[in-house]
Amino acid sequence: MTSPVTRLTVFDGESPRRFRLPSDADFKATVLENGAQLTVTLEPIRRDLKQLFSRIILTVDSTSLQAQEVLMVAPDGGWTKLRFTKLVRNPELSETLFN
């Protein structure tokens, strides 16, 4: 659903779970430029997001603006890191891939 509020519903075989997708206003953003990289730190403002993350740190190539790494830190200190390597922009995809 995109209006009046952007929402996502996930059906997992049990009961549907609904999520309000975050917007720019749901995070305090801090940007640090470090040579060829930008580091964007997002701190949640919305209460439900604070229960999921204490912060999200994005590392971005300052020239291409492609994400290189995403670090998601949970309130208990646990974390998940995603690294993006061997990126291919605009690859050719066969239409049959989506059948």
Side-chain angles (χ1 to χ4, degrees):
M1 183 172 85
T2 58
S3 178
V5 176
T6 304
R7 293 192 184 274
L8 173 70
T9 302
V10 176
F11 295 92
D12 62 2
E14 301 281 321
S15 58
R17 295 173 34 202
R18 290 182 180 83
F19 302 92
R20 189 182 113 201
L21 298 179
S23 70
D24 293 345
D26 294 325
F27 292 93
K28 175 186 167 204
T30 306
V31 179
L32 175 64
E33 190 166 355
N34 184 13
Q37 291 182 331
L38 297 173
T39 302
V40 181
T41 301
L42 302 173
E43 296 178 68
I45 296 170
R46 222 171 69 195
R47 184 179 53 190
D48 61 329
L49 294 174
K50 285 182 178 183
Q51 293 174 349
L52 296 171
F53 309 107
S54 62
R55 67 189 172 283
I56 300 170
I57 302 171
L58 307 162
T59 304
V60 179
D61 179 275
S62 61
T63 304
S64 68
L65 298 180
Q66 287 185 311
Q68 296 174 327
E69 188 174 278
V70 178
L71 175 65
M72 297 171 283
V73 182
D76 67 0
W79 53 272
T80 300
K81 184 183 285 188
L82 306 171
R83 285 195 180 134
F84 303 100
T85 60
K86 300 180 184 176
L87 299 174
V88 178
R89 293 183 79 163
N90 302 318
E92 290 289 326
L93 299 175
S94 169
E95 288 185 28
T96 60
L97 182 64
F98 301 100
N99 289 340

